[in-house]
Amino acid sequence: MSNVLAVLEQRDGALRKVSHEVVTGARRLADALGGSVEALVLAAGAVRGAEQVGRFGADKVITLTNAAFGLYAPEGYARAIAERVKSGTYGVVAFAASATGKDLAPRVAARLGRPLAQDVTDFGVEGGAVTVTRPVYAGKALLKLKITGAPALISLRPSVFTPVERPKAGAQETAAAGGSAGRVVVKQIKAAEAGTLDVAEAPIIVSGGRGLKEPANFKVLEELAAAFAGRAAVGASRAVVDAGWRPHAEQVGQTGKTVSPTLYVAVGISGAIQHLAGMRTSKVIVAINKDKDAPIFKVADYGIVGDLFEVVPKLTEEIKKTHG
Amino acid sequence: MKIAVCIKRVPDSETRVKIASDGKSLDEAGVKFILNPYDEFAVEEALRRKEKAGSGEVVVIALGPAAAQETIRTALAMGADRGILLQSDRIPLDGLEVAQALAAEFKGAGFDLILFGKMAIDDYNHQVGPMVAELLDLPCVTTVAHLEIDGGKGVAEREIEGGVEVVEFPLPAVLTTDKGLNEPRYPALKGIMAAKKKPLEVKTVSLGGGGLELLALTPPPERKEGKIVGEGAAAVPELVRLLREEAKVL
Amino acid sequence: MAEGAGSPKGVPDGPGKRFRPAQYQPPLPLDRLILKDGAEGAGDRMELDVLIVGAGPAGLACAIELARLAQREGTDRNIGVLEKAESLGEHSLSGAVVNPRAFRELFPDLKDADFPFRGPVGKERVALLTSRRAITLPTPPTMHNAGNYVASLCEIVRWMGERATALGVNVFTGFPAASLLVDGRGVAGVRTAATGLDREGRPLSNYMAPNDLTAKVTALAEGTRGTLSQAWLEWQAVRSENPQIFALGVKEIWETKRPLDSIVHTLGWPVPTDGFGGSFMYPLEPNLVALGLVVGLDYRNAALDVHELLQLMKLHPLFRQYLEGGELVEWGAKTIPEGGYYALPGRRAGDGVVLLGDSAGFVDVPSLKGIHYAMQSGIFAARAIHAALKAGDASAARLADYDRLVNASFIMNDLYRTRNMRLAFKDGFYAGGMKAALMTLTGGRFPGGRIAMEPDAEVERRLTPTLRPGLPTPDGRLTFSKVDAVFKSGNATRDTIPIHLVVGKDVPTAVAEFYARMCPAGVYELAQGALRVNAPNCVDCKATDVLGPRWTPREGGSGPKYKRM
C-alpha cells in the first residue's frame, strides 16, 4: 500500500495552481512509502495544464471525463473517486484543503469507511504508517495523528506545500466516467460581490490607519486588496472609522475580537494605542510605515520602512504577478 | 418542517490554549465552554425555516459529555423544541465515528433538513456533516452562506476561491452552515425559562474504534523575531519573495 | 450620549492647572435610571417573587438562602437573578483572601474543604517598599489572616451559581438591569438593557427589546458603585454621614516559574506619599500568583496612573523574582468602596428594595475584606425578605428588619471598629500611619470622632510636572500596555456598541489627560487635542463613574471575561 492518489482540481477546463501543491505533497509521501504518484482530475473534457503535472512528480495523470463533470459535481465526483480508490491499492489519497477539497474529501472518506485528516500542514511516515500534523484551536496548538489502515485520506492546507519540481513520467491517460452528476447540482459560479468579504473571516486583511492622511487615499489599499483575487478584505483602524473615513463594517477591533487572517498588512498604522490585540493572532504580520521606530514593527514579522504611497502600489504590482 | 440540528460543546475561541501535562489534551482549568459559533447559524436557520413554514419541530442533537446538556439548553433557549444528548465522555478524534453515531439517530426519523455548523472551532475537522449525509444517502451542501427553499427544492450559495457557487439540491438534505447565513438570535428571558422544561433525552452511545491515533498536542512554533526587510519600494520584491517562500502565505 | 470634545475655552491647560473632577462630571442620568412601572419601551414582561440584581457573592448568597427558606416550608418561590456578564464570574474580581464564616453559615452541612477555596493562608508577610528595598514590618493586627483562605472570586461565584441553580433559582446571565421600575415611592422591579443596537442606537437584525421584570422585592447587589443603587439612594434622598469614597485596584494573574508560598501585602512605594494604597500578592497555587495594586481615588496628582504604577511595581525585586520568566495570564481592574462605617447609607432597605454587599458599602479596608460581608448581607436580606413575603408586606418598615439584622451583626461591629482608619490616611502616609496605629491599639476609640470627608470627585487635582519618571515602553514580557492588558481581561466587546459613558461637555485637555491616566483600560485618549472615548475597552471597574464620565449599563455580555480573578 505505497501508492498515492493525488486528487487535482480544475476550473473552466484549466488546472488550478493548488494542484501542483497536492502533487508535490503526494510525491513526498510516495517517496517515503516507496510507491508511485497517480494524479486524478475530473472534468468535462481535456484539462489545460494537466500535461505539466509530471514536473511535480506525478508518474501518471488520469483525466476522468463526463459531460456532467465540468463544474464540481459533489456526488458524481465522490462516486468516481471512491470507485477509483477501490479499484486500486493506494496507501494515501490526497486532496487540497480548498473549498472544493474540504467538501469532497469527507464524502469520499465516508464512502470508503476511512478516516480523514483535514487541513494538514505536515506529514511523515513512521513505522509504515502515515502521520499528520494539523492546526487546531484556531492555530493555537498543533495536533499530531497517526492514521491506521489504508488508504489514509488527507487534505493539504493550501500555500503550505510549495510546489517543488521533481520530474517523473507524468504519463497522460484519459478515461470516461459513467453516471450522472448526482442530486446536488452546481449551476454556476458567480463572481464574488466586491467588498462582501467579511473582515472577520478574510484570509488576508489589508488595514489602514491615519497614515493614509485622507479618506480618498484608501484607494491604494483597495487596489492592493483586489490584487489578492478575492482573498483579501480592507480593514480600518478605529481612528479612521471614528473619523468617518471608512464604514464600521471594516473596523478591525481593538478589544480583542479575534481577527485571525493568514496575512495581515498594516499600512500607516503606528501600532501604539490603535494597536489591534486581535490581529496579533494573525499568522503573518507585515507593517509598512515611514517611522522606523513605530511600535508596529515590534509586532510585525516583516516590515518595510518607507512612504506607503510608494511602497503599496509597488506591492500591488508584485502581488498581481504572483496571482496572475 | 421537521429539522434536526447537530451541535457541539466547544472551548471558547478566545481561550488561551494550555496543553495538559499528558501532552495530548487541553488543560481545562479556567476554560469556558460554549455552543460552537458555526452551530449557532444552523440553529438560527432551523428556527427561521420552522417559523416560516408555520409548523414543525426543531430537534437539537449533541454528542458529548454530560455537561453538553447545558449547551443543548442554550439551543432550547433560542427556541428549539427538544434535545437529545448522545452521552460520551470521549469525543472521537475520527469524524467518521461521530458521523456513524449521529447517522444511527437519524435513520428513519424523517427529517426534512439536517443542519450542522461547517466545522467546530476546536478541531477544525470540517467533515462530520457531509459524512453523515453519505451514510444516510442524502444530498448535502456544505458551507452554505445563503439559502432559499421552495417546496421540495433548495438553492444554496457557498463561497469558493474567487467566487460563489450556486448549488441546487432536493429535500430532504443535509446542510452545513457558514458565517453570513443569518444573524443568530440571543436567547430571550422567556426562552431561557422555557428551556428548563423542554424535553432533553440522554442516551448512552457506543462508539466504534476509529482509524486515528493521537500522538501529541503541542504548541505552535515560537514566533520568530520580526525583521525590517528594507526601505521604500525597492524592498517590495524581497518582501513578496519572503511571503511566498518563507512565510508561505502567498 | 455625546462624546466630549476638548476645548481650551477660557480654561488654562497644561501642567500646574488645578481642577476638581466634579466640575466636569455630569450628574447621574436619573431620568433614564428611574422609570415608572408600565412605561413604554419594553418587550417581554416577567413577574417574579424576588428579583436580585447581580450574581456576585451577595446576590447569590441571598438567592441561595431564600430558596432554602422557601424549600424548608414547602413554598414555591420564583427567584430571578440578573447578571450583566455573559457567564457567571466574568465580571467578578477580588484579591482574594476570604473569611469562611459566611460560607459556614450558608452551608452548615459542608466542611471548609468543600468550599471553592484554593488553600488556607499559611505564611504572611507585610512589607514597606521603597523603589529598591522591601522592609518587612510586623503584621498589623487588622491584617492577620490565619484561618482564612486564598480564593478566586470567579471560582466562588461559579460554585455558588451551581448551587443556586440546583435549588431552582433562575440565573439569567447576559441581562444587565438598566433602570429601576418604580411605583409611587416603591421599587417594582427593573428594566433590562436592550441588545443589538448599533453605535447610533439603531436596531440591528438581532435586536432584542429591553425586558421588564417585576417582583415584590428587588435586591440590588450590583457590586461597587452600583448604578441603580446610587439612583435609588439619590431618588429617596437617603443620606450617609460621609460620602462614599473609592480606591482603584488593578490586578494580574501570573503563571510563575518560581513558587510563592506566602501571602504578601505591601505599603509605601509606588503609591505616592500623599496617597493611600498598597499591593497584594497571593498564591492561588504555588506557581499561579495573583497580584495587584490598590490606590485611593483621592490622589492629588492628576497624572497618576494606577495601571502604570502596577507595571512599575512589578520591576521591584520583591515581585520580579517571582514574575521573571513567567506568563501574564489575566488582567483586570475594579474599584473598592472604602468609606467604611460612616459612608454606609442611613438605611439600606426601602419599599420593595434592599441594598446588598459592595453596593451598600460593606467593605473593611484595613483587613481588605468584603466578600464575607457581602455574603452575610445577602443571608440577612434573604431572611428579611422571606418574612416580608410571608407577611405579604414588602414595605420599608417591614424590610427594615434587614437593617436591624446587619446592625446587630459582626458586619457593623467590624466596620465600626475601623471606622476612621482609612480616613486617617487622608493626611498622607506617615500621619495616617500613626493615626491608624493608635486606632488599632485603642480598638478605634482614639483618635475618635468622625473624620469628615469629601467625595473623591471634589478633591482638587493638579498635573504635576515633577512626577517620578514614567515607565519606559512596556516590554510585553513583564510590563504591558493598556491595550494588551485589556486583551488579557478577555474583553471582546462588540466594537459597534452604543457608547455607554455619559461624558461632560467641554472637557479641557488637562482633564482629558487626567481621564486617560485614571482609566486602567485605555477608554480615554487625548487625540489631536480632543478627548476620544474608546467605550468598548471598558472593563466596568467604575473608576470613571467616580471621577469622570458616568457609567451606565450596556448590552449584556459586554466587558471583561474574567476566568480566575
Side-chain angles (χ1 to χ4, degrees):
Chain A
M1 291 294 210
S2 49
N3 297 335
V4 179
L5 181 66
V7 178
L8 313 186
E9 285 181 33
Q10 55 82 14
R11 197 181 295 179
D12 294 328
L15 199 69
R16 288 193 67 230
K17 283 238 180 76
V18 75
S19 305
H20 299 171
E21 298 173 24
V22 182
V23 177
T24 298
R27 181 76 258 159
R28 224 180 89 190
L29 261 172
D31 287 345
L33 290 167
S36 64
V37 173
E38 253 178 51
L40 180 67
V41 62
L42 284 72
V47 174
R48 292 187 304 286
E51 70 287 350
Q52 296 292 315
V53 164
R55 268 165 55 205
F56 300 98
D59 297 288
K60 201 157 46 159
V61 184
I62 305 144
T63 306
L64 272 183
T65 60
N66 181 314
F69 283 4
L71 288 168
Y72 173 47
E75 297 189 342
Y77 276 41
R79 188 190 58 242
I81 295 170
E83 272 168 21
R84 180 89 207 175
V85 174
K86 283 187 206 157
S87 70
T89 49
Y90 300 101
V92 181
V93 182
F95 302 78
S98 59
T100 301
K102 287 198 289 203
D103 180 285
L104 177 57
R107 299 173 193 260
V108 175
R111 279 177 189 252
L112 297 172
R114 294 293 301 145
L116 165 66
Q118 288 265 45
D119 209 29
V120 161
T121 52
D122 200 4
F123 54 65
V125 174
E126 287 172 29
V130 176
T131 62
V132 296
T133 299
R134 45 187 305 274
V136 291
Y137 301 113
K140 293 178 194 160
L142 293 174
L143 188 65
K144 189 171 178 197
L145 300 165
K146 184 164 86 171
I147 307 176
T148 49
L153 267 68
I154 66 178
S155 69
L156 305 180
R157 175 176 280 201
S159 300
V160 171
F161 297 91
T162 315
V164 169
E165 305 222 359
R166 272 202 201 103
K168 292 282 183 185
Q172 301 288 311
E173 243 181 63
T174 307
S180 70
R183 298 163 297 190
V184 179
V185 180
V186 174
K187 299 302 278 184
Q188 55 156 311
I189 298 177
K190 307 198 298 199
E193 279 153 45
T196 52
L197 194 53
D198 188 340
V199 139
E201 295 265 306
I204 299 175
I205 298 178
V206 174
S207 203
R210 292 194 89 106
L212 272 296
K213 297 213 181 54
E214 281 171 29
N217 292 338
F218 259 77
K219 191 154 191 308
V220 312
L221 294 190
E222 286 168 1
E223 281 165 11
L224 175 56
F228 286 100
R231 291 176 61 214
V234 173
S237 72
R238 166 175 296 158
V240 141
V241 169
D242 278 353
W245 294 7
R246 304 299 290 183
H248 285 146
E250 285 183 6
Q251 182 173 334
V252 185
Q254 185 169 328
T255 53
K257 201 84 190 135
T258 309
V259 216
S260 221
T262 311
L263 173 62
Y264 185 94
V265 185
V267 182
I269 293 176
S270 71
I273 198 80
Q274 308 98 305
H275 178 186
L276 308 162
M279 126 233 186
R280 282 196 294 126
T281 60
S282 309
K283 183 162 178 283
V284 177
I285 298 169
V286 171
I288 299 169
N289 197 296
K290 68 174 188 290
D291 174 12
K292 70 170 172 17
D293 291 323
I296 193 95
F297 285 121
K298 283 217 174 72
V299 182
D301 298 291
Y302 305 102
I304 292 186
V305 180
D307 182 345
L308 69 95
F309 296 106
E310 282 171 18
V311 176
V312 176
K314 177 79 179 151
L315 184 57
T316 303
E317 204 187 291
E318 293 292 315
I319 296 293
K320 278 203 190 124
K321 284 192 213 159
T322 55
H323 277 66
Chain B
M1 253 198 128
K2 198 168 165 198
I3 309 175
V5 186
C6 298
I7 64 172
K8 189 179 181 189
R9 170 184 179 264
V10 296
D12 195 322
S13 58
E14 306 300 334
T15 290
R16 174 186 155 265
V17 166
K18 186 150 182 257
I19 294 164
S21 46
D22 65 357
K24 292 188 173 184
S25 55
L26 181 70
D27 181 347
E28 296 191 357
V31 170
K32 177 180 162 188
F33 284 86
I34 56 173
L35 170 59
N36 182 33
Y38 288 105
D39 298 347
E40 284 182 41
F41 301 118
V43 174
E44 177 62 29
E45 195 62 27
L47 294 172
R48 289 189 190 190
R49 296 280 153 197
K50 176 195 156 187
E51 283 158 10
K52 200 156 173 208
S55 68
E57 191 189 30
V58 174
V59 182
V60 167
I61 299 190
L63 186 144
Q69 288 182 70
E70 214 184 287
T71 317
I72 294 176
R73 292 274 175 218
T74 303
L76 295 176
M78 283 171 76
D81 299 296
R82 63 185 171 89
I84 302 173
L85 172 65
L86 301 178
Q87 185 165 329
S88 167
D89 282 336
R90 177 181 73 89
I91 301 216
L93 276 175
D94 186 346
L96 189 57
E97 269 194 72
V98 178
Q100 283 160 346
L102 290 171
E105 258 322 287
F106 293 128
K107 252 206 163 59
F111 287 106
D112 300 300
L113 283 176
I114 301 175
L115 304 182
F116 292 76
K118 75 174 181 185
M119 68 176 189
I121 61 168
D122 51 358
D123 60 23
Y124 275 61
N125 265 341
H126 213 286
Q127 59 187 246
V128 175
M131 285 180 168
V132 167
E134 286 292 335
L135 293 173
L136 296 172
D137 191 26
L138 286 175
C140 171
V141 185
T142 65
T143 67
V144 175
H146 185 81
L147 179 65
E148 312 225 341
I149 294 186
D150 190 10
K153 292 222 274 272
V155 180
E157 289 185 14
R158 55 193 300 272
E159 222 174 271
I160 60 172
E161 294 82 0
V164 170
E165 243 176 28
V166 180
V167 188
E168 282 180 11
F169 61 94
L171 269 61
V174 173
L175 304 174
T176 79
T177 60
D178 200 355
K179 187 167 180 184
L181 177 61
N182 55 48
E183 196 67 59
R185 64 195 66 182
Y186 296 101
L189 266 182
K190 291 232 162 101
I192 297 171
M193 291 277 276
K196 300 183 189 209
K197 301 203 169 64
K198 290 180 177 173
L200 204 175
E201 197 187 338
V202 178
K203 299 183 182 180
T204 39
V205 64
S206 59
L207 297 164
L212 294 176
E213 188 191 320
L214 198 163
L215 295 179
L217 185 66
T218 54
E222 274 292 314
R223 219 184 172 111
K224 281 200 320 251
E225 277 268 332
K227 54 177 161 242
I228 302 248
V229 174
E231 285 183 22
V236 172
E238 175 62 5
L239 171 66
V240 173
R241 187 192 70 79
L242 287 167
L243 288 177
R244 189 175 43 240
E245 288 172 24
E246 191 178 83
K248 303 200 179 186
V249 288
L250 287 182
Chain C
M1 290 178 274
E3 279 189 49
S7 143
K9 243 201 295 245
V11 165
D13 288 327
K17 184 206 167 333
R18 296 166 194 270
F19 63 91
R20 283 174 304 111
Q23 291 170 259
Y24 304 98
Q25 207 185 26
L28 208 50
L30 282 185
D31 59 334
R32 267 196 284 143
L33 297 174
I34 308 222
L35 300 174
K36 256 210 174 64
D37 183 25
E40 274 195 0
D44 281 338
R45 213 180 141 83
M46 188 184 285
E47 258 178 56
L48 300 161
D49 292 315
V50 184
L51 173 64
I52 299 169
V53 178
L60 289 174
C62 184
I64 289 169
E65 180 72 357
L66 263 172
R68 280 231 306 262
L69 288 167
Q71 206 177 66
R72 220 171 284 154
E73 294 183 6
T75 320
D76 229 343
R77 191 79 88 214
N78 200 350
I79 304 166
V81 183
L82 290 179
E83 168 54 48
K84 64 177 162 63
E86 191 180 271
S87 302
L88 283 186
E90 289 185 336
H91 288 189
S92 301
L93 182 153
S94 186
V97 170
V98 180
N99 181 326
R101 75 179 289 175
F103 271 93
R104 292 175 186 148
E105 178 148 350
L106 193 55
F107 303 103
D109 306 327
L110 297 181
K111 297 194 285 290
D112 279 9
D114 299 319
F115 297 137
F117 303 143
R118 283 296 187 137
V121 170
K123 297 200 279 201
E124 323 188 38
R125 184 180 169 193
V126 177
L128 173 66
L129 291 188
T130 67
S131 60
R132 263 183 274 272
R133 299 175 55 211
I135 304 156
T136 303
L137 299 176
T139 305
T142 51
M143 291 198 62
H144 274 298
N145 276 296
N148 294 334
Y149 292 87
V150 176
S152 150
L153 185 56
C154 293
E155 292 175 350
I156 287 174
V157 162
R158 288 194 290 263
W159 185 90
M160 290 178 76
E162 278 171 34
R163 267 144 195 80
T165 310
L167 285 165
V169 172
N170 295 299
V171 181
F172 299 113
T173 50
F175 286 94
S179 317
L180 281 175
L181 296 172
V182 302
D183 188 2
R185 235 184 27 189
V187 172
V190 301
R191 176 170 291 183
T192 62
T195 329
L197 292 171
D198 70 7
R199 205 177 276 187
E200 274 73 54
R202 292 181 305 234
L204 296 166
S205 68
N206 58 359
Y207 171 73
M208 268 205 335
N211 297 279
D212 278 358
L213 290 98
T214 56
K216 304 187 184 88
V217 182
T218 300
L220 297 177
E222 301 167 283
T224 181
R225 195 75 173 176
T227 306
L228 301 186
S229 305
Q230 286 180 75
W232 181 77
L233 289 168
E234 201 173 302
W235 175 56
Q236 287 295 298
V238 177
R239 310 248 175 272
S240 50
E241 292 190 63
N242 275 347
Q244 187 57 272
I245 58 171
F246 295 86
L248 172 62
V250 180
K251 178 185 171 184
E252 299 181 0
I253 295 187
W254 282 73
E255 269 175 17
T256 60
K257 290 239 149 63
R258 195 176 149 179
L260 174 68
D261 66 351
S262 66
I263 66 168
V264 179
H265 290 108
T266 75
L267 315 166
W269 186 91
V271 181
T273 49
D274 65 347
F276 174 84
S279 82
F280 63 88
M281 186 165 60
Y282 305 145
L284 289 169
E285 289 164 23
N287 294 83
L288 187 67
V289 170
L291 77 151
L293 178 63
V294 177
V295 179
L297 286 179
D298 56 349
Y299 55 84
R300 303 292 197 277
N301 186 343
L304 191 146
D305 183 328
V306 181
H307 168 83
E308 228 184 54
L309 284 182
L310 173 62
Q311 304 314 301
L312 188 61
M313 188 185 97
K314 288 186 287 177
L315 300 177
H316 187 290
L318 174 63
F319 301 100
R320 192 172 194 146
Q321 59 180 317
Y322 295 102
L323 305 180
E324 195 82 70
E327 192 186 336
L328 172 68
V329 177
E330 285 199 69
W331 174 97
K334 206 177 255 278
T335 50
I336 306 165
E338 299 209 297
Y341 176 81
Y342 287 116
L344 297 177
R347 59 185 171 99
R348 281 85 54 193
D351 291 317
V353 68
V354 289
L355 266 58
L356 274 43
D358 277 17
S359 285
F362 297 132
V363 174
D364 182 56
V365 169
S367 60
L368 295 178
K369 295 283 179 293
I371 295 173
H372 73 298
Y373 296 128
M375 289 176 67
Q376 194 67 44
S377 75
I379 294 169
F380 289 147
R383 293 177 187 162
I385 294 171
H386 180 79
L389 291 177
K390 271 175 80 173
D393 169 17
S395 66
R398 173 71 63 165
L399 288 172
D401 271 350
Y402 164 55
D403 280 341
R404 282 189 278 276
L405 286 169
V406 170
N407 293 350
S409 76
F410 65 86
I411 300 177
M412 213 52 104
N413 282 350
D414 289 1
L415 292 183
Y416 184 72
R417 203 173 45 234
T418 60
R419 63 194 177 285
N420 274 323
M421 210 154 291
R422 159 68 177 98
L423 312 180
F425 282 87
K426 284 278 171 194
D427 297 334
F429 181 71
Y430 298 106
M434 290 227 300
K435 282 198 199 153
L438 282 170
M439 282 177 204
T440 307
L441 288 174
T442 63
R445 282 189 290 283
F446 183 81
R450 173 176 67 91
I451 297 176
M453 296 279 313
E454 50 184 351
D456 294 314
E458 293 290 348
V459 172
E460 192 179 77
R461 318 285 166 147
R462 191 160 148 244
L463 252 173
T464 312
T466 57
L467 175 54
R468 100 181 86 253
L471 199 61
T473 321
D475 64 16
R477 277 191 311 268
L478 261 180
T479 58
F480 296 85
S481 67
K482 286 182 178 179
V483 179
D484 284 343
V486 168
F487 185 63
K488 288 291 186 185
S489 73
N491 187 343
T493 305
R494 181 164 70 83
D495 279 292
T496 48
I497 201 176
I499 297 176
H500 65 293
L501 302 163
V502 185
V503 186
K505 289 199 190 359
D506 298 333
V507 173
T509 324
V511 178
E513 185 76 50
F514 165 65
Y515 291 165
R517 307 253 185 165
M518 166 209 62
C519 174
V523 168
Y524 304 109
E525 271 185 84
L526 189 56
Q528 254 92 348
L531 173 69
R532 173 149 72 226
V533 180
N534 303 313
N537 279 31
C538 182
V539 294
D540 293 4
C541 77
K542 309 299 184 67
T544 187
D545 194 70
V546 177
L547 292 177
R550 303 310 296 263
W551 185 95
T552 65
R554 51 185 170 159
E555 180 175 286
S558 304
K561 289 190 173 12
Y562 300 136
K563 296 182 170 50
R564 288 179 291 187
M565 293 296 249

